[in-house]
Amino acid sequence: ALSTSAEANLLPHYSADSSELYWLQYDGYSLPRVRAMPVGGDATSARDVVEIDAMGPFGLLPGRSPVYEQGRQYRQVYSYADLFRWDTRTGQTVRLTTGRRARDPAVSPDGRWIVYSQNERSESVLAVMAAVPDAAATVLWRGKRYDQVHQPAWSPDGTRIAFSAWRNGGWRDILIVDVATGNV
């Protein structure tokens, strides 16, 4: 076991060079935090990277900056999620999307692209965007009405994306889409 404390230790990620392991930790008392440890290390070698309130699932850019989902509220009655990046160089938070209802981000192996699930009317779609603020998104997969996309993951060569799809009728399956062609 690499962690033996906290209310929750979840969402593990290796750094792009596989030298460190990153994960999200909640202890029930303080803000959620991204932690890191060298591969082969133990709990004593773990360090805090950043504490971010209401942080959700995240991916890592090659410079080890987390790209994460965070809930927002609009007009006190509408809740949605958007994507943010914590910049390791400046220590600042950078908003990547506004009002897209984006969740479950995953960063491409080269760090140039972010794939995520985007909620739409009665469904969610698989969308990809450049890893810069307010970049236009392209929908890679749209199912039938009520279909939902969850937890996308890039292939190591960055040519395909695997994701979980809950589809009308109650089935949840793993699908793979080719980024260049859109073929599933």
Side-chain angles (χ1 to χ4, degrees), residues 54-57 68-74 78-84 95-105 116-119:
M55 182 178 182
Y68 57 94
E69 164 191 331
Q70 189 175 58
R72 293 293 184 180
Q73 193 163 348
Y74 176 71
Y78 300 107
S79 294
Y80 61 92
D82 266 315
L83 302 182
F84 296 81
R95 189 175 193 142
L96 298 175
T97 64
T98 303
R100 290 199 195 163
R101 301 171 62 144
R103 56 182 167 69
D104 288 341
Y116 60 94
S117 172
Q118 180 172 301
N119 283 351

Side-chain angles (χ1 to χ4, degrees), residues 2 20 33 36 38 46 58 66 70 77 79 87 98 108 119 126 146 169:
L2 297 177
E20 290 189 296
R33 68 188 76 209
F58 72 99
Q70 189 175 58
V77 293
S79 294
D87 191 312
T98 303
S108 65
N119 283 351
L126 184 70
Y146 305 119

Side-chain angles (χ1 to χ4, degrees), residues 6-10 23-35 48-56 68 70 86 93:
E7 184 175 286
N9 288 290
L10 60 150
W23 73 96
L24 190 59
Q25 182 181 78
Y26 298 104
D27 64 11
Y29 299 101
S30 55
L31 293 175
R33 68 188 76 209
V34 174
R35 306 220 56 214
D48 289 344
V49 176
V50 62
E51 290 184 341
I52 299 174
D53 191 18
M55 182 178 182
Y68 57 94
Q70 189 175 58
W86 183 74
T93 298

Side-chain angles (χ1 to χ4, degrees), residues 108-169:
S108 65
D110 64 7
R112 294 178 46 218
W113 304 97
I114 300 168
V115 65
Y116 60 94
S117 172
Q118 180 172 301
N119 283 351
E120 294 190 351
R121 292 184 176 135
S122 304
E123 65 188 8
S124 62
V125 299
L126 184 70
V128 67
M129 64 180 272
V132 297
D134 299 318
T138 300
V139 173
L140 292 179
W141 183 83
R142 177 186 305 275
K144 296 179 181 175
R145 186 176 170 104
Y146 305 119
D147 287 359
Q148 303 292 318
V149 171
H150 301 277
Q151 297 133 352
W154 290 88
S155 63
D157 64 4
T159 62
R160 295 174 310 281
I161 298 168
F163 61 98
S164 171
W166 182 91
R167 297 191 275 173
N168 192 4

